[in-house]
Amino acid sequence: MNNEINVAFIGNPNCGKTTLFNAYTGANLKVANWPGVTVEKKEGQMSYHNKKYKLVDLPGTYSLTSYTMEERVSRHYILEDEVDVIIDVVDASALERNLYLAIQLIELGKPVVLALNMMDIVEERGMEIDLHRLPEMLGVPVVPVCARKRTGLNVLMHAVAHHQNKTSDRFEHHHTAGSHEHSHHDEYAMVYSDDIEDKIDKISELLSVKYPNLKNYRWHAIKFLEADQEICKKYPLNLSGIADRSYEEDIINQRYDFIEEIVSEVLVNKEEKSQNTDKVDRIATHSIWGMPVFFGIMALVFFFTFTIGDWIKGYFEMALEWFSGASSEFLVGLDAGRVLTSLIVDGIIAGVGGVLTFLPNIFILFLALAILEDSGYMARVAYVMDGIMSKIGLSGRAFIPMLLGFGCTVPAVMASRTLENKGDRLRTILVTPFMSCSARLPIYVLLSQMFFGDGAMIAAYSMYVIGVIMAIVVAKLLSVFAKNKEENTLLIELPEYKSPNARTIIIYVWDKVRDYLTKAGTTIFVASIILWALLNFGSTGMVTDMSQSFAAEVGRFLEPVMKTAGLGYWQIIVALISGIAAKEVVVSSMSVLYGIGNIASQGGMASLTAVLAASGFTAVNAYSMMLFCLMYVPCVATIATIHRETKSLKWTLFAILLQLGTAWLCSSVFYTIATMF
Amino acid sequence: MKLSDGLIGSSYAVKEISLELPAKRRLEILGMTSDAKVTVLNSKKSGTKIIKVRGTRFAIGCKFAQQIEVEEVDKRGDMI
């Protein structure tokens, strides 16, 4: 037998399950998809008292019916796979709702340990939970933990280790919904009314005759009474005379009756003091003020990204300048040769280094998004934006992936998974790339600082606004042309506001920064070398004049097409093409193409402005280019993600063409109108 | 009355949910069973609400709120 113990983590959304899971596994985990579905599966390993444990993080879910993908995935894993112990993470501050899943898990008949999370919030509110009575009523061990403060972790694993062969113990409940005896019911926590229990007994008997190898008759019988489609199809059974309708509503009601009984016994001082969330919400979700508050917060986020980010960026630039100079001297000193020196200094250091100087801006942006997410505000956005979103045929919830798109399109496209409706999900995926991601920020910063002087911040901020407007227009058009017009109705939990947790935020931000650094080290590194080669080699070999290079030929070929957008310059076209590898590469490409060492510095910008102005490239062209960069083909990583999420080559190609077409059209229209005056 | 007409600060008991089965079940699973107490915390003109059910806050779209029949149990419109 395998010595490894399989532990499954399950819980309601917002219960702190992932924080608890991370507390055990750290960064050491394997992320994959569940077979056949785009629901993320996280696996980690740990050892405790010389035993190995395999931890699996199941998707957050409110119940174990088979209505959503997440529920089905969790249920299958527990029923079919070899789960030894289930850890049900329960938000103690919302005990009543969380116990619903707990009761269903206990009914599955596998060993369950209840991890009572967020006990600190319970204490804060002056409530108390009777930790002696709760396990008595549920028949499973209950361990108070605090995932954010990492307390109770060892005790929880200890309970898991000792509970792996037991399903239930210590019943002391007096839940008597029935009037006549069901002798064997002493072993179950949740006992239904006589009527239902009689039916469960009868169905169990039928099942034991027809399917003698079935493991948990009671659970399956309950599923038959709930008219669970999956189970009814899998185990056909004639129930006429026993259950001729669905008893799901009765079952749900009775479960909540039992939960009310538990809560009334174990929760002391139920009159809670949780007025803070309501106070904040009175403004944050106000019918009039909600939206200005939201846009104010977003404006603040981008203000910090620009001012503080740029201030730190100055130091990064100085370091890069020094490093570039030193490397050049060092290589000349080594007699390294012209080609190698050019490759390293003009290709790699200029390309990768240029992108790295934007690290402060990206760090601040993700920090802000992490704080918004962790504080609980992000869910409110769905409510605030619901009105507008429903007008364009999306649910308010679709705004969250779109908002994440301001950070990075890749996780944003992935976040669209949270939408249950397929059409809704597809439309969200198609419009999310219009939300200006952080990689496009360097382009705006560079161009707007070069051409718009004091108005630089407004010019850059306008990109974000235009991106949002474009997303809205495109979503509306998509919903008009959609084949099946289903309604998307908002239904989302609004968690309590809490002060953001440093550890959670550090993990989140570090994850993104690492992604960005890896990208600089891989994609951008390779793109820099390829581009350098394309720019420095032509049909005659290595060229000194860049206008003779391969890249220039491609750029010149496309010049007529891009002329309408005011972008008919081969250097600009080459830079834009290179930006498909990653949008921020546009900046480094421009520095290589125009031969400017430190493009983001005052001197670098001044010389680039001079070079561009000499070729007739003015502020109008610059703004047109910003518009084009905002909308054109997303980066390779995004294209790959869209393909993975839609599982359709057709839709991926559609997404690419949609963006390219919109970008060309918008910048052309803008350029034509702007040059008329 | 309909939940969508509920006033901020008032509490209601759920009487009937006349939605398609999957939507109805989703609401029931979240605790909106018959006679469950729902408190309206915030509201938009359209009928979209923020409600509190069994200790948890939910934002619920007007399309859902319009199909939920409720009965007033506790009016304290001036409190919240």
Side-chain angles (χ1 to χ4, degrees), chain A residues 72 77 83 98 109 142-143 151 177 199 254 270 293 329 396 415-416 455-456 477 500 534 566 599 625 628:
Chain A
R72 282 196 290 271
Y77 186 75
V83 177
N98 278 255
V142 174
V143 181
T151 58
K199 290 184 197 302
Q254 290 183 25
K270 201 183 163 190
V293 166
E329 261 173 51
S416 64
L477 289 174
L534 282 173
I599 197 162
M625 184 173 172
F628 195 86

Side-chain angles (χ1 to χ4, degrees), chain A residues 469-510:
Chain A
I469 294 170
M470 279 315 297
I472 290 170
V473 171
V474 173
K476 180 73 198 170
L477 289 174
L478 287 172
S479 80
V480 167
F481 291 113
K483 281 183 206 134
N484 43 346
K485 300 190 197 317
E486 318 111 10
E487 296 285 350
N488 292 293
T489 310
L490 179 74
L491 185 62
I492 189 176
E493 183 185 345
L494 305 180
E496 296 272 326
Y497 286 113
K498 52 184 184 263
S499 51
N501 174 268
R503 196 184 142 89
T504 312
I505 287 176
I506 287 166
I507 290 177
Y508 181 90
V509 174
W510 168 237

Side-chain angles (χ1 to χ4, degrees), chain A residues 33-39 69 425-426 429 640-652:
Chain A
N33 273 4
W34 292 91
V37 289
T38 50
V39 176
M69 220 148 59
R425 205 179 308 154
L426 183 63
I429 289 174
T641 312
I642 292 177
H643 183 240
R644 212 179 73 199
E645 295 295 319
T646 58
K647 290 210 183 82
S648 150
L649 199 63
K650 190 185 90 185
W651 283 113
T652 312

Side-chain angles (χ1 to χ4, degrees), chain A residues 278-320:
Chain A
D278 293 326
K279 268 184 209 154
V280 177
D281 264 350
R282 230 175 295 166
I283 298 163
T285 63
H286 189 271
S287 57
I288 296 158
W289 296 113
M291 207 136 7
V293 166
F294 170 61
F295 284 112
I297 289 174
M298 288 324 285
L300 203 66
V301 167
F302 292 114
F303 173 76
F304 276 115
T305 310
F306 274 84
T307 48
I308 300 179
D310 284 354
W311 174 67
I312 307 172
K313 192 171 130 238
Y315 293 97
F316 274 64
E317 281 158 7
M318 287 196 306
L320 177 67

Side-chain angles (χ1 to χ4, degrees), chain A residues 222-269:
Chain A
I222 294 170
K223 289 293 134 187
F224 275 108
L225 288 174
E226 287 178 347
D228 188 281
Q229 285 181 359
E230 215 181 279
I231 299 295
C232 290
K233 216 184 268 171
K234 205 168 165 190
Y235 305 102
L237 203 65
N238 182 13
L239 293 178
S240 59
I242 303 170
D244 17 57
R245 65 172 177 99
S246 163
Y247 290 86
E248 193 173 9
E249 199 172 335
D250 311 62
I251 289 171
I252 296 172
N253 278 321
Q254 290 183 25
R255 282 190 189 134
Y256 267 112
D257 287 345
F258 178 43
I259 290 168
E260 275 174 26
E261 202 180 307
I262 297 174
V263 169
S264 71
E265 280 208 35
V266 303
L267 205 63
V268 188
N269 299 333

Side-chain angles (χ1 to χ4, degrees), chain B residues 4 8 10 12 16 22 24 27-28 35 38-39 42 45 48-49 55 61 70 73 76 78:
Chain B
S4 52
I8 296 175
S10 299
Y12 303 88
E16 203 180 330
K24 182 172 148 80
L27 291 169
E28 284 170 354
D35 282 325
V38 176
T39 308
N42 223 326
K45 264 192 208 139
T48 300
K49 306 268 164 196
V70 293
V73 289
R76 14 171 248 182
D78 53 321

Side-chain angles (χ1 to χ4, degrees), chain B:
Chain B
M1 64 178 285
K2 304 285 178 209
L3 179 61
S4 52
D5 300 323
L7 300 172
I8 296 175
S10 299
S11 292
Y12 303 88
V14 176
K15 287 299 158 193
E16 203 180 330
I17 301 173
S18 28
L19 282 163
E20 282 167 43
L21 205 61
K24 182 172 148 80
R25 291 285 181 259
R26 256 175 82 201
L27 291 169
E28 284 170 354
I29 283 160
L30 294 173
M32 290 186 74
T33 52
S34 58
D35 282 325
K37 192 176 136 189
V38 176
T39 308
V40 177
L41 298 178
N42 223 326
S43 175
K44 284 193 197 177
K45 264 192 208 139
S46 60
T48 300
K49 306 268 164 196
I50 295 180
I51 52 168
K52 196 168 193 175
V53 188
R54 298 182 190 269
T56 313
R57 288 175 188 78
F58 288 99
I60 180 168
C62 53
K63 299 252 163 54
F64 280 171
Q66 279 158 6
Q67 302 301 321
I68 301 171
E69 187 67 31
V70 293
E71 219 166 68
E72 191 165 310
V73 289
D74 177 21
K75 189 175 181 177
R76 14 171 248 182
D78 53 321
M79 285 286 286
I80 293 183

